[in-house]
Amino acid sequence: MTRVVRFHRHGGPEVLCIEDIDPPPPGPGEVQIRVKALGLNRAEALLRAGIYIETPALPSGLGLEAAGVIEATGEDVTGLAPGDAVSVIPPQSMVRWPAYGEMVTYPATLIAKHPPSLDWQTAAAVWMQYLTAYGALIDIARLRGGDAVVITAASSSVGLAAIQIANSVGATAIAVTRTSAKKQALLGAGAAHVVVLAEEDLAATLSEIAGPQGVRVVLDAIGGPIFEPLTAAMSKGGILIEYGGLSREPTPFPLAAVLGKTLTLRGYLVHEITGDPEKLEAAKAFILEGLETGTLRPIIDRSFAFDQIVEAHRYLESNEQFGKIVVTI
């Protein structure tokens, strides 16, 4: 028997429960992992609440990231063996492939051997944030040296990953945060500039930082009223990539800026990378190189024990974290 986290109804963190199951052995092309640590993501809170892009049959498991040791492999698995230290690439469906458990099974194609220098908590915090930021900034926007890139929700794990990736290619990372509470931490994490929404005029401050050329790339997780000042500071031919939608307010369409500057506003899901084998291999190579050289390094905010999964989800929804929340087993 092994313990897993499931929920039998949608709702807040309190609906999560730990249950004992008898896991089946891995099938052909599958790998079974004894989990050492989990990485938590906002998508998991949305699935639990019933407002995610995927609708599960109940009861349902959840989870997108894990790191651990291979326990067993199914037929037709090559290059992986029991005892290997590995981490999980987020699957297309966490309902089909849930990570929250002491023992989990995944397709071998979604298993990565991470650098041995990473501890379990750090290894569990790699793939969702860096694949998301890579797909937006490198694969889509083609971020390059000399570009200015605005990163909203900058203290999130994806925001911090985006700052690191921007720095790795020589771009100027401009972090946007709600209050000044995390300003110094963001500067310490590599942001060249930090704009505080509660204290500064966003459009004017961005224009002052970027100069006449404007901001070519915006990575936004918020939407809502922030759209207009963001696009007002963008350059001609710039691109705004929306991957979140955290705002509860309507998002206006900035028609004048879009027409006048021929802007691209683009929705984005990390599935665009994880669902394309060629793009995924390129992303993995970029991220693994960054991890090995130290230009990419996950920032862990707080760790919880497996028995504290409800408390971990409450903290996940507090929006107080700086970086990744992990759960150890």
Side-chain angles (χ1 to χ4, degrees), residues 127 130-131 134-135 138-139 142 273-274 276-290 296:
W127 294 108
Y130 287 114
L131 285 171
Y134 169 92
I138 305 301
D139 184 68
R142 304 295 180 187
I273 302 299
T274 59
D276 184 317
E278 185 175 339
K279 289 186 176 184
L280 179 57
E281 285 306 309
K284 286 169 62 178
F286 180 97
I287 293 164
L288 288 171
E289 180 181 2
L296 304 181

Side-chain angles (χ1 to χ4, degrees), residues 18-56:
I18 297 176
E19 301 176 346
D20 292 313
I21 67 166
D22 188 12
E30 293 181 342
V31 172
Q32 193 169 66
I33 302 166
R34 186 170 295 279
V35 176
K36 300 293 186 179
L38 304 167
L40 269 57
N41 297 279
R42 186 163 296 277
E44 292 140 32
L46 296 176
L47 182 80
R48 186 206 70 225
I51 52 176
Y52 189 52
I53 57 175
E54 187 175 14
T55 303

Side-chain angles (χ1 to χ4, degrees), residues 227-246:
F227 248 50
E228 291 186 310
L230 285 173
T231 53
M234 291 177 69
S235 65
K236 286 186 178 295
I239 180 170
L240 184 153
I241 299 172
E242 182 66 34
Y243 74 99
L246 295 176

Side-chain angles (χ1 to χ4, degrees), residues 63-75:
L64 288 163
E65 291 182 285
V69 177
I70 293 180
E71 183 80 3
T73 61
E75 296 179 7

